[in-house]
Amino acid sequence: MTQPTQPLHIVDIIRHKRDGLALSTPEIQHFIHGIVDRSITDAQASALLMAIFLRGLSPQELAALPTAMRFSGDTFDATPLHTFTIDKHSTGGVGDKTSLLIAPILAAAGLAAPTPAGIPGICVPMISGRSLGHTGGTLDKLETIPGFNTQLTLPQFFDTLKTCGAALIGQTPTLVPADRILYALRDHIGTIESPNLITASIMSKKLAESLNALVLDVKTGSGAFMKSYDDSRYLASLMVQTGTLAGTRTVALLTTHDQPLGRFAGNWLEVQECVDIMQQVRHPMSADLIELTNILSGWMLHLAGQADTPAQGAVLSDQILRSGAAYQAWLGIIAAQGGDTSVFHSSRTQNAPSSAIHDDAPRIYSRTLTASTSGYFASMDCTQAGWAVQGLGAGSAKPGDPVSAHAGIQVHAKLGQQLTQGHPLITLYSEEESLLDEPYHMLQETLQIQPSAPHLQPLIREVITTG
Ligand code: URA
């Protein structure tokens, strides 16, 4: 005989976690249902998030939380396409725009190898996020493209994948609504940097895409949410374990993030940088971005059966970029999602990095930090650089507030580079002159130059394939 089940109360659930007890799967499901149907208040949800942040989750709780979140609304099912579905996700970084390159690279590879039904052989159903903490968000970047719609319905998402091989959307009100609600709360109550909550957030979205395979870019270093190598490694293993348990082949790359990735950080600036690369304009400051993109895409192409090894996949990825096939795939995706592709037709970055999307765009103010002394560019606090980008207007103070398209930074030197006094280091851009001061001083304090060459970590620290 089954025991009658006790009704669950959110206050008891909060107390349990507060006191260090493990939550049962029904308790976790009750919490997730309650935040979605709004029977649980933001205050209660925040209290439980903080308790989870402080107390952690057991392996059973960690399996239950992303599963409950994954099924908190609609899920996306690409199986009728009979294609290989794969995605990449990053734990978040400054200037981290690899998604904007990886989606078209994989789409181009899939378009070149169609299924017998004429559908791209690889599909990338990317469900992305907005800016979180000091990091930028793929959706905020894409939405600077006039007309681009990140809120496709699921049938539109399906159709875009079928014709273009990739589509990039945000969580709709019905797609993983639990993460949308929790993500916004976490950003405002100081609970982002929790390996358990990051795992649940990322994996709920990724598993809702019903993927065959997933490649994770887990950042480590001064610009990562998890600064220490051990914490990042732990986060990577939690995510690989969660994906594998759910039946998705999951690989995590631990990547060094001690400086902004590539040449720009900021919404439209990052789109411009990627378009330049796809148009074969390769600036030396974009070298780390291109390298990381090819390594991540290489793993994806390998998992999708297009390359015998990840290294061969990286070579293929670079060929796809250099051949212009990624750019053609990009134009297809942007047009299919309502974006105005005419904004890419002249190479704007060459004219001026602060060039605007439209000719009638607002005036853009700038200020450049230079090397105060000669020596080697030794270190920076990359999280502070991210906050500077947000402070210039690229991020929103509250969920839903508009973000500036043109605000951001341009990197003129990379760590380890030998500099003479006066060499430009970083240019700041903002649509409001008054927003330049604070980020300028924040950055000035964090940039360190020293007489000897610094010891730098390699871009790829480790690849984790089992949890
Ligand atoms: N990216 C996400 O999608 N969620 C997090 O919690 C952190 C980074």
Side-chain angles (χ1 to χ4, degrees):
M1 218 171 82
T2 52
Q3 295 293 317
T5 45
Q6 297 291 321
L8 295 167
H9 296 291
I10 184 62
V11 180
D12 294 332
I13 298 173
I14 296 168
R15 283 198 187 102
H16 288 167
K17 192 59 359 206
R18 180 199 68 188
D19 296 343
L21 301 176
L23 301 181
S24 65
T25 298
E27 283 181 313
I28 288 175
Q29 288 167 340
H30 180 81
F31 169 53
I32 296 301
H33 287 153
I35 57 165
V36 174
D37 71 16
R38 292 295 185 186
S39 57
I40 291 176
T41 65
D42 282 355
Q44 291 169 323
S46 300
L48 187 53
L49 286 170
M50 185 57 82
I52 292 174
F53 182 92
L54 296 171
R55 294 290 191 175
L57 293 176
S58 69
Q60 287 74 16
E61 291 172 289
L62 185 61
L65 183 58
T67 308
M69 289 166 69
R70 168 185 181 176
F71 295 111
S72 62
D74 295 336
T75 51
F76 177 71
D77 185 12
T79 39
L81 291 175
H82 301 293
T83 181
F84 191 90
T85 53
I86 185 162
D87 197 1
K88 178 288 315 185
H89 196 83
S90 153
T91 52
V94 183
D96 180 6
K97 53 193 91 66
T98 62
S99 293
L100 304 184
L101 293 167
I102 288 174
I105 291 169
L106 269 287
L111 287 163
T115 66
I119 288 162
I122 305 173
C123 281
V124 185
M126 241 183 214
I127 301 174
S128 302
R130 296 199 179 274
S131 110
L132 181 69
H134 67 285
T135 68
T138 300
L139 296 182
D140 298 321
K141 297 169 200 178
L142 287 167
E143 285 176 358
T144 62
I145 302 167
F148 189 87
N149 181 9
T150 58
Q151 301 298 316
L152 300 183
T153 62
L154 289 185
Q156 288 170 330
F157 189 44
F158 187 88
D159 289 344
T160 310
L161 282 172
K162 191 172 166 183
T163 47
C164 302
L168 300 101
I169 60 168
Q171 290 131 289
T172 66
T174 59
L175 195 61
V176 203
D179 182 57
R180 196 168 37 82
I181 297 164
L182 294 180
Y183 196 92
L185 285 176
R186 283 170 58 215
D187 198 18
H188 290 84
I189 60 164
T191 54
I192 295 169
E193 307 88 341
S194 150
N196 291 294
L197 294 175
I198 295 176
T199 299
S201 166
I202 292 180
M203 297 310 289
S204 64
K205 289 193 285 269
K206 296 295 126 179
L207 297 177
E209 297 170 359
S210 310
L211 299 171
N212 296 111
L214 173 64
V215 173
L216 296 161
D217 176 4
V218 180
K219 306 279 185 200
T220 181
S222 74
F225 285 123
M226 301 283 113
K227 312 265 179 261
S228 85
Y229 183 69
D230 288 346
D231 288 349
S232 306
R233 201 173 183 285
Y234 175 60
L235 171 64
S237 66
L238 288 185
M239 290 200 287
V240 172
Q241 180 188 312
T242 307
T244 309
L245 255 175
T248 296
R249 174 91 198 269
T250 308
V251 172
L253 278 75
L254 272 166
T255 70
T256 300
H257 190 44
D258 285 329
Q259 59 186 326
L261 188 65
R263 187 181 177 205
F264 293 105
N267 298 317
W268 172 245
L269 294 171
E270 295 190 36
V271 174
Q272 279 187 309
E273 180 176 4
C274 293
V275 170
D276 276 352
I277 293 167
M278 288 186 277
Q279 292 179 340
Q280 284 98 62
V281 179
R282 292 189 173 207
H283 192 279
M285 290 297 126
S286 296
D288 55 352
L289 168 67
I290 297 171
E291 185 185 351
L292 183 58
T293 297
N294 285 330
I295 292 171
L296 293 167
S297 297
W299 264 98
M300 295 169 79
L301 290 165
H302 168 60
L303 294 174
Q306 300 273 316
D308 288 342
T309 62
Q312 286 175 15
V315 172
L316 176 59
S317 165
D318 203 50
Q319 282 165 0
I320 294 171
L321 271 179
R322 287 183 187 275
S323 69
Y327 183 53
Q328 290 310 317
W330 163 264
L331 293 178
I333 298 161
I334 301 303
Q337 294 194 224
D340 174 4
T341 55
S342 71
V343 294
F344 308 125
H345 291 338
S346 62
S347 185
R348 284 148 185 275
T349 320
Q350 284 167 321
N351 307 337
S354 55
S355 64
I357 306 164
H358 294 299
D359 293 338
D360 61 352
R363 170 147 184 220
I364 297 153
Y365 299 89
S366 67
R367 200 175 295 172
T368 298
L369 276 153
T370 56
S372 54
T373 168
S374 296
Y376 290 88
F377 192 3
S379 68
M380 66 160 72
D381 181 338
C382 183
T383 291
Q384 286 300 88
W387 284 121
V389 174
Q390 304 290 306
L392 289 163
S396 57
K398 297 199 296 313
D401 279 359
V403 296
S404 159
H406 301 98
I409 57 171
Q410 177 180 3
V411 169
H412 301 287
K414 290 282 173 178
L415 296 183
Q417 201 171 317
Q418 198 173 8
L419 305 167
T420 48
Q421 187 180 7
H423 189 290
L425 295 174
I426 291 182
T427 300
L428 296 82
Y429 298 103
S430 182
E431 293 181 35
E432 284 178 57
E433 196 172 14
S434 62
L435 294 184
L436 288 171
D437 273 350
E438 205 184 324
Y440 182 90
H441 294 297
M442 274 164 69
L443 280 169
Q444 196 173 35
E445 271 173 34
T446 121
L447 307 177
Q448 302 294 328
I449 294 174
Q450 68 181 35
S452 56
H455 172 71
L456 300 177
Q457 295 295 346
L459 186 56
I460 309 298
R461 299 282 302 267
E462 194 175 342
V463 178
I464 295 180
T465 52
T466 49

